[in-house]
Amino acid sequence: MPTSFDVLIIGSGQAGNPLATSFAKAGRKVVLVEENFFGGSCINYGCTPTKALLASAERAHQIRTAAEYGIGATELTVDFAAVMARKNQIVGEMREGTHKNLTEEQPNITVLHGHAEFTGPHSVRVTLDDGSSQEVEAELIFINTGTHAATPDLEGLSDIPYFTSTTLLDSPELPEHLLILGGSYIGLEFGQMFRRLGSKITIIESHAHVLSREDDDVCDAMQQFLAEEGIEFVLGARAHRVAKDADGKLTLTLDTEQGEQQVHGTHLLVATGRQPNTGKLGLEKAGVALDEKGYIKADDDLLTNVPGVYALGDVKGGPQFTHISYDDYRVVRDAILHNKRRPAKQRFLPYVVFTEPQLGRVGLSEKQAQEQNITYKMASLPVKTIGRARETGHTTGFIKVLVNDENHIIGAAVLSEQGGEIMTMLQLAMAGNLTCDVLQNMVLAHPTWAESLNNLFAKLAPPDEA
């Protein structure tokens, strides 16, 4: 007979874990099923390991450029094994902390380590690691299984070893020349990271710009400073074949407007998107509807077409960020436990590309404002004019804001040192409905990055005059 629970959570991600704790504290009997590592993508192959590696890469860059600050430095060496060991320690500690919280601190939570597959709308068979199985059922089921790296239809790819953004995090060696297929934020972060650690980098992107969803001025500035660090770009190019020669060298054949082109390297990172982890869940037996890409369809309350079954985080499609997944947890927690409904679509969508300098984004881009026929004024401030930037030497980038007719901020792009933090200040102003006049005249400590907001809005003008 199945074991009955009040709540079943499939996946130990950034929505599932806190949700399990909240239900347990409310007296509900919870079972959480995890097939792989505790903590989901963020802890295991997303935010935590990549930002740990970026920190090592940043230290290497600081040593390499120390002479610009009048500091003599010995010859730079990178102990790649030690870099990876530091990352692994941080990941392991966070993974263990998550496991401890679920298994030791909450008596109402049962953790099963194995693969979950639906046998009906509210029943699941869990195949445990030891090969045995257990049937569980619950009235409330939350699917938080995330995504995995997409594999493009590329001739020869199945015949060669290649990296994804997950497997590259466990590489035993520093690539000599890393070809990166895809110019999204994943490709750019990995590109700068491994370039600073000592690899040669070539990024291949099918669009005319990297970060193709951003405004052209943002894309161009991002590409320029990465190129100045020695990263090569091949844009408007579609890969159609990859091959490995007898010496282990890779050749990627591309279709471009100028004709066929070849690029050569020693390793390949495929960073061309993500796919949902829904194929082996038996969702058809539960009657849960999927979209054409395999993501679970969910409404504004994150409820699927099956009553009592919810989809949280990346598996439901849309923006794939840890903070969105965590907010999914808050949406369903408040609705079910506190009777406070807040549609998931009624929220800000901030995000940061963790290159150096960072790109912090919130609200509308100029492209989006124009597509929606929204009238706006725009202000742009070069980072090099900020006192804090000149003092620290971090002068690359610019800050751009869009303001509506009522002087409220409707969007911002901050390509700057501490770009994510500056963007968050603008997001707080948006959430508090502050006008740009308030920020322009606010007394802000000198010399700080925040002080740039005093000067930024003085440049407001219609977009054709800014």
Side-chain angles (χ1 to χ4, degrees):
M1 295 292 294
T3 303
S4 294
F5 294 86
D6 299 315
V7 178
L8 165 61
I9 299 172
I10 305 174
S12 170
Q14 295 303 306
N17 293 336
L19 192 61
T21 300
S22 291
F23 275 120
K25 287 181 177 178
R28 307 286 184 99
K29 187 180 177 183
V30 179
V31 58
L32 184 145
V33 182
E34 174 54 53
E35 185 173 11
N36 296 307
F37 294 116
F38 291 97
S41 62
C42 180
I43 288 178
N44 293 293
Y45 53 85
C47 315
T48 298
T50 58
K51 277 50 183 180
L53 292 176
L54 282 168
S56 294
E58 181 180 349
R59 296 305 187 278
H61 184 68
Q62 289 171 349
I63 295 172
R64 195 175 284 117
T65 59
E68 298 175 12
Y69 295 79
I71 305 298
T74 58
E75 183 178 353
L76 173 67
T77 60
V78 174
D79 184 342
F80 189 67
V83 169
M84 299 297 274
R86 176 183 178 273
K87 178 266 298 182
N88 291 338
Q89 180 179 353
I90 295 171
V91 170
E93 290 172 352
M94 296 190 69
R95 186 186 292 163
E96 180 58 31
T98 300
H99 181 261
K100 181 179 179 181
N101 179 63
L102 292 171
T103 58
E104 298 181 20
E105 300 179 12
Q106 303 297 334
N108 284 338
I109 299 177
T110 298
V111 173
L112 299 178
H113 205 274
H115 174 70
E117 184 176 351
F118 281 87
T119 56
H122 290 273
S123 58
V124 167
R125 177 184 299 110
V126 181
T127 302
L128 302 172
D129 287 350
D130 63 5
S132 64
S133 63
Q134 183 171 341
E135 302 282 340
V136 298
E137 60 182 13
E139 286 301 310
L140 289 175
I141 298 179
F142 300 90
I143 305 170
N144 185 214
T145 51
T147 61
H148 62 276
T151 302
D153 184 15
L154 178 60
E155 180 185 342
L157 187 62
S158 60
D159 300 325
I160 67 165
Y162 65 92
F163 290 119
T164 67
S165 58
T166 299
T167 59
L168 183 54
L169 294 171
D170 293 319
S171 173
E173 61 180 5
L174 181 68
E176 178 184 342
H177 185 176
L178 181 63
L179 306 177
I180 300 179
L181 197 57
S184 67
Y185 71 93
I186 293 176
L188 298 184
E189 287 183 6
F190 272 97
Q192 188 181 50
M193 174 200 307
F194 277 89
R195 176 59 185 159
R196 289 181 166 187
L197 290 174
S199 299
K200 184 177 180 181
I201 302 294
T202 301
I203 295 177
I204 301 97
E205 168 57 44
S206 60
H207 292 90
H209 296 274
V210 297
L211 295 177
S212 57
R213 295 183 181 180
E214 303 296 337
D215 291 332
D216 290 350
D217 54 355
V218 173
C219 302
D220 291 342
M222 175 77 75
Q223 181 182 335
Q224 181 179 343
F225 76 72
L226 291 174
E228 289 172 354
E229 291 195 25
I231 295 177
E232 299 175 344
F233 291 90
V234 183
L235 303 178
R238 294 187 177 275
H240 73 263
R241 183 171 64 251
V242 63
K244 180 180 178 181
D245 66 19
D247 296 326
K249 301 293 184 181
L250 299 179
T251 297
L252 197 59
T253 304
L254 313 171
D255 292 324
T256 73
E257 290 185 357
Q258 293 74 36
E260 190 173 272
Q261 180 179 344
Q262 291 185 333
V263 292
H264 307 279
T266 60
H267 298 76
L268 174 65
L269 166 62
V270 174
T272 54
R274 309 286 298 176
Q275 292 179 327
N277 293 325
T278 53
K280 298 180 181 180
L281 291 176
L283 294 173
E284 68 282 356
K285 298 174 185 176
V288 174
L290 306 176
D291 68 12
E292 65 280 0
K293 295 183 178 180
Y295 290 96
I296 297 175
K297 292 183 178 180
D299 62 17
D300 280 355
D301 299 312
L302 307 178
L303 184 63
T304 71
N305 61 304
V306 178
V309 180
Y310 294 76
L312 309 177
D314 298 351
V315 76
K316 71 181 188 308
Q320 297 182 7
F321 299 109
T322 293
H323 45 281
I324 296 299
S325 183
Y326 187 78
D327 193 55
D328 286 351
Y329 142 68
R330 290 184 292 216
V331 167
V332 296
R333 175 203 63 188
D334 291 348
I336 297 173
L337 294 179
H338 307 306
N339 198 29
K340 297 179 181 179
R341 182 176 179 269
R342 172 172 62 87
K345 292 182 180 179
Q346 294 182 4
R347 57 187 172 191
F348 287 106
L349 177 57
Y351 56 93
V352 181
V353 181
F354 284 93
T355 50
E356 188 187 16
Q358 300 169 0
L359 171 62
R361 278 277 290 111
V362 67
L364 298 176
S365 66
E366 284 199 83
K367 285 182 181 178
Q368 293 169 326
Q370 292 164 5
E371 289 169 356
Q372 298 175 31
N373 294 317
I374 295 175
T375 301
Y376 66 92
K377 292 176 289 185
M378 189 267 283
S380 181
L381 179 73
V383 169
K384 65 184 179 182
T385 65
I386 301 170
R388 185 66 176 168
R390 291 195 295 266
E391 293 150 5
T392 61
H394 297 295
T395 57
T396 300
F398 62 92
I399 304 173
K400 181 171 71 171
V401 290
L402 309 185
V403 174
N404 65 15
D405 292 335
E406 298 172 343
N407 279 351
H408 290 121
I409 302 166
I410 58 173
V414 185
L415 185 62
S416 169
E417 173 72 9
Q418 301 301 321
E421 310 300 330
I422 300 171
M423 175 274 292
T424 301
M425 288 186 287
L426 292 167
Q427 180 188 348
L428 289 171
M430 295 167 70
N433 211 28
L434 298 180
T435 65
C436 60
D437 305 298
V438 173
L439 296 179
Q440 185 176 354
N441 295 300
M442 185 178 293
V443 178
L444 299 170
H446 174 80
T448 62
W449 289 103
E451 191 183 22
S452 61
L453 302 183
N454 282 162
N455 298 324
L456 172 63
F457 296 101
K459 300 178 176 292
L460 275 176
D464 57 347
E465 300 176 14

